[in-house]
Amino acid sequence: QVQLVESGGGLVQAGGSLRLSCAASGSIFSIDAMGWYRQAPGKQRELVATVTSGGRTNYADSVKGRFTISRDSTNNTLYLRMNSLKPEDAAVYYCYCNAVIRPGAASAGYWGQGTQVTVSS
């Protein structure tokens, strides 16, 4: 199994910055991709940004130019640097990992417990 633990959320004023972290641990053979999703009250969970094992990144249009996703492959830690935060960015942010836990096994998706980001106006 793979365990994902997010950290770095909190309360920030509009225009401020935060950096989220996600530490992956457990029986990991390889990681195909990791990403950040978010869910605001009353809304569906939505993709924020992803990064593949090859380093390719993708961003939601709403965060492009403000957020930066990165991954430290040496310790399987994912980061999300959030700049110029807006009240619309307030949500619970979830870490996602698509991983293979043993050779020959199919990949599977894993989720963290989430970390709250609150943006004051």
Side-chain angles (χ1 to χ4, degrees):
Q1 294 293 319
V2 177
Q3 294 82 45
L4 303 174
V5 180
E6 302 100 329
S7 62
L11 174 63
V12 64
Q13 190 175 24
S17 299
L18 285 174
R19 189 180 76 158
L20 306 183
S21 299
C22 171
S25 61
S27 300
I28 302 173
F29 175 70
S30 64
I31 295 177
D32 296 325
M34 298 186 75
W36 290 97
Y37 292 71
R38 67 187 182 188
Q39 187 168 23
K43 296 185 178 180
Q44 296 291 319
R45 188 172 300 184
E46 64 177 355
L47 185 148
V48 177
T50 60
V51 59
T52 68
S53 60
R56 179 178 295 179
T57 59
N58 291 98
Y59 297 90
D61 289 341
S62 60
V63 307
K64 195 171 298 181
R66 299 187 297 120
F67 291 11
T68 303
I69 189 171
S70 61
R71 175 188 170 189
D72 185 347
S73 60
T74 65
N75 59 7
N76 291 324
T77 301
L78 184 72
Y79 301 96
L80 183 68
R81 177 66 179 181
M82 304 184 292
N83 294 326
S84 302
L85 282 162
K86 305 174 180 179
E88 306 91 85
D89 296 318
V92 176
Y93 283 70
Y94 296 91
C95 179
Y96 173 82
C97 174
N98 188 32
V100 176
I101 62 174
R102 58 182 174 85
S107 63
Y110 302 87
W111 292 93
Q113 82 290 341
T115 184
Q116 177 72 53
V117 172
T118 303
V119 184
S120 62
S121 59

